[in-house]
Each structure stands twice: as C-alpha cells, then as structure tokens.
Amino acid sequence: MATIEHSAIVKAPPERVFSLLRRVEDFADYSDMVTAIDSLGDERYRWHVRALSMDWTFDVAITEVKPPYMLAWDSVSGVKNQGRYHLREVPEGTEVSLTLSYDIGNRLMEKAVNKAATPLVSKVSRQILDRVEARLQV
C-alpha cells in the first residue's frame, strides 16, 4: 500500500475542527473532487470522487472515533484505502494530520496514480481544511 501524509494548521480549537470532520457526509462540500457522499448507516459511507479524469467509488467504515483527537476509517469495497485524521492542539489552533494509505490493485494504473497521488491528496486535504476553517469562521 502506498501512504501519503499531509498536515496543516486550522485556526480553531480541536473540538470545533473535529465536530466538522466528524460530519463525513459534508466532505462533498469541502472538496471539488468529492462529488457526493452517501450515508449507508452504521458508520458506513459511499464516496464518489472525480480524480485523474476518472470516477472512483468506494465504501468506507469509520473504525475509530476519539473526540476531539482522532477519526479513522477503512474501505470495505471499491478502491482499497484506509486513513486517519489526528488532531493536536497547538498555539495557533489545531494541527490536523492526515495519513492515507491506498492500493489500486492494477500495476499500470497504480504507477500513474502514485505519481499524481501525493500532490493530489495534498491539494484535496488543503482544500478540505481551508473550507472547514472558513466554515468555522462564520
């Protein structure tokens, strides 16, 4: 599995940041690449993502919730992936660290995805956190 890490500072306390990250269905509002997220019940969600000129669909289950410091998930179908948001209070607000691991399952496709994935995930993560921060300022 390939792993990508990204972190950023959000100018708000961990409790407020976590409360928005916890509303998984709202992630479609936070990124242009996330086209929709359907709640499947029982802490499961179907993600619809448009990236690298392709549509990707995968189901994830929330596997760990420790408010306001950790939210983790694991895929249950589609693109194999797992991830974790870790929040840490810092003087400027909250440091939000994302760790995302994925496995495309197709060597040729995976080479192309791996080359583009790190900047792509960093861009999406930054976009998500910028929009979360903007929502917290309202």
Side-chain angles (χ1 to χ4, degrees), residues 7-99:
S7 65
I9 303 293
V10 175
K11 295 178 178 123
E15 294 79 12
R16 293 190 65 215
V17 176
F18 185 86
S19 72
L20 287 183
L21 291 177
R22 184 67 179 100
R23 296 196 318 240
V24 177
E25 310 91 275
D26 290 349
F27 272 68
D29 297 336
Y30 301 150
S31 173
D32 298 334
M33 290 184 213
V34 180
T35 57
I37 299 174
D38 305 319
S39 176
L40 304 175
D42 295 326
E43 296 283 8
R44 290 174 173 244
Y45 301 89
R46 178 163 294 139
W47 287 64
H48 305 273
V49 177
R50 176 87 177 151
L52 305 173
S53 300
M54 295 180 65
D55 292 314
W56 307 81
T57 300
F58 50 91
D59 293 354
V60 301
I62 302 299
T63 57
E64 193 171 1
V65 179
K66 292 184 180 174
Y69 300 108
M70 186 182 314
L71 177 65
W73 64 90
D74 203 351
S75 63
V76 293
S77 72
V79 177
K80 185 174 182 180
N81 71 91
Q82 61 187 46
R84 169 182 316 267
Y85 275 112
H86 180 79
L87 287 71
R88 183 174 68 91
E89 190 167 4
V90 295
E92 303 90 342
T94 302
E95 178 183 46
V96 181
S97 299
L98 167 67
T99 303

